[in-house]
Amino acid sequence: MSEKLKIDLPIAVEGKYDKIKLASIVDANIITTGGFGIFSSDEKKLLIRRIAEPRGIIILTDSDGAGLVIRNYFRSILPPDKLIHLYIPQISGREKRKRQPSKAGILGVEGIDAGMLRKILEPFAVGGDRDNDEASANTDILNADSTRREVTKADFYSDRLSGGESSASRRAALCRLLDLPDNMSSNALLAAVNMLCGYDGYRELVDRIG
């Protein structure tokens, strides 16, 4: 069995089974949102603000509509420089403990292969290479002095990813190229693009969409 990754940033997941899965891979402070329960819990909101204050918090929710709503809640209670959004790919399937697949028909955090989760989190382990190609965008969130060119709302508009009749379908195509949920809002996708690939990678993907 591989040694657990030591991560000195707190990690937020949705439910207890997500936490159990993650705890088998990482040695970290893992907090659960209780699904939408976080919306009505002032105590949990205060706890999240407190643990995120020093260096930030990693958000790792399911890649479905509910997961996106929870991510947006974190955006409403924490400043952008405290949020590190990591995404699992959309993989069709059903968790072993469930009789039926989720409404979206895709695996949540608990159902994702441990090796894949480890790869997603590895750059954020103590001593990890946050400057490698896969993690470079995430690293910028931790580095307030970063001068890297970011993708902007104006870029989205000029590339017909917002403000046009075909924008929704073009955003869905970009999401598929990035292995992201294809129902992401324009703002959520913009944030994800800047974390996952940056401007140069974004330009290559837009060229592929045509």
Side-chain angles (χ1 to χ4, degrees):
M1 180 180 293
S2 300
E3 183 178 352
K4 288 186 180 182
L5 298 172
K6 173 66 176 176
I7 297 179
D8 56 8
L9 293 168
I11 305 172
V13 295
E14 292 183 46
K16 66 178 183 179
Y17 292 102
D18 298 329
K19 181 176 181 178
I20 290 170
K21 180 63 171 284
L22 216 57
S24 70
I25 301 166
V26 302
D27 177 6
N29 180 8
I30 305 170
I31 184 171
T32 63
T33 69
F36 289 164
I38 191 174
F39 301 153
S40 58
S41 175
D42 290 335
E43 292 86 357
K44 184 151 288 188
K45 180 167 66 175
L46 289 172
L47 173 62
I48 288 170
R49 283 175 168 167
R50 177 167 294 181
I51 64 175
E53 198 280 329
R55 297 183 59 242
I57 184 170
I58 294 172
I59 312 299
L60 188 64
T61 62
D62 296 351
S63 292
D64 57 9
L68 292 176
V69 170
I70 293 170
R71 285 183 188 276
N72 285 332
Y73 178 76
F74 276 96
R75 292 187 179 99
S76 74
I77 65 171
L78 292 172
D81 64 331
K82 299 299 182 183
L83 292 169
I84 302 166
H85 287 280
L86 299 184
Y87 294 86
I88 60 172
Q90 283 187 314
I91 300 175
S92 298
R94 170 183 62 85
E95 277 80 17
K96 292 180 180 179
R97 68 179 179 87
K98 297 179 180 178
R99 292 184 177 181
Q100 300 292 331
S102 67
K103 184 176 180 180
I106 57 176
L107 296 176
V109 170
E110 66 169 288
I112 295 296
D113 176 74
M116 184 177 293
L117 285 175
R118 186 180 181 92
K119 184 177 180 181
I120 291 170
L121 289 160
E122 208 158 31
F124 296 89
V126 174
D129 183 9
R130 290 175 179 171
D131 293 322
N132 66 27
D133 290 339
E134 288 190 51
S136 61
N138 290 312
T139 304
D140 287 342
I141 296 174
L142 300 176
N143 180 5
D145 297 325
S146 173
T147 58
R148 193 183 60 145
R149 163 76 156 91
E150 289 199 338
V151 183
T152 66
K153 288 184 178 181
D155 293 321
F156 263 31
Y157 183 80
S158 65
D159 292 323
R160 295 178 290 128
L161 290 162
S162 65
E165 292 184 3
S166 63
S167 296
S169 62
R170 289 178 63 79
R171 285 198 305 273
L174 179 58
C175 286
R176 288 191 290 271
L177 289 174
L178 289 167
D179 285 327
L180 295 174
D182 60 13
N183 59 346
M184 295 183 77
S185 68
S186 178
N187 287 339
L189 179 56
L190 180 64
V193 165
N194 278 313
M195 286 185 286
L196 293 171
C197 60
Y199 184 78
D200 291 341
Y202 163 77
R203 289 258 53 94
E204 292 179 7
L205 294 176
V206 169
D207 289 343
R208 289 173 62 183
I209 294 172

